[in-house]
Amino acid sequence: MSKQKLGVELPSTLQRSPAKAQRTYAKTLRNAEREYGRGERASRTALASLKHGFEKVGDHWEPKEHKGPSDPQAAAGGAQARERPRETFGGVDLLGHTRQELYARAQELGIAGRSRMNKEALAREIAKKQR
């Protein structure tokens, strides 16, 4: 989809993602910019909305099996999220996957030391590999 059609400039990872992910991000960003003005807060709001239904996999976003927050930061929301930011794990759906599922992705990505990692460490390393 083009910028003209959505009305916003999409990050490169979204340009390679399904149209629904692009629309979700664009619509939320436009609404957030009306509410908060352009800037980081509007961008964070749009990304949080995207992460509710999509997960970053490699260089693009894919639909999640079950919608919901992907990390403790997204689960907090509102003032609590702004005042006490937490780790976001780079779009990896920490809360929606088991350790075994994250381990399998880490294995596919060739992440060393994965057998000794807990769920958070696996998500962190997957996110690093996907940058």
Side-chain angles (χ1 to χ4, degrees), residues 18 20-21 24 50-56 61-64 91:
K20 184 168 171 84
T24 299
L50 176 69
K51 288 168 57 178
H52 192 79
F54 294 85
E55 176 180 20
K56 189 173 177 206
W61 293 83
E62 292 183 3
K64 292 175 16 178

Side-chain angles (χ1 to χ4, degrees), residues 26-105:
K27 181 178 179 183
T28 307
L29 182 62
R30 285 192 305 271
N31 289 334
E33 286 177 342
R34 279 195 293 274
E35 180 76 20
Y36 310 123
R38 288 181 178 239
E40 184 182 343
R41 187 170 181 191
S43 296
R44 282 193 326 254
T45 300
L47 191 58
S49 175
L50 176 69
K51 288 168 57 178
H52 192 79
F54 294 85
E55 176 180 20
K56 189 173 177 206
V57 178
D59 66 348
H60 64 285
W61 293 83
E62 292 183 3
K64 292 175 16 178
E65 272 188 47
H66 305 287
K67 291 185 177 186
S70 59
D71 53 59
Q73 176 68 16
Q80 183 183 17
R82 285 190 306 277
E83 294 165 7
R84 299 185 67 215
R86 295 177 177 93
E87 189 172 5
T88 62
F89 300 96
V92 175
D93 188 10
L94 174 74
L95 300 179
H97 288 298
T98 64
R99 182 191 177 279
Q100 290 77 15
E101 291 168 328
L102 292 172
Y103 179 88
R105 273 185 64 191

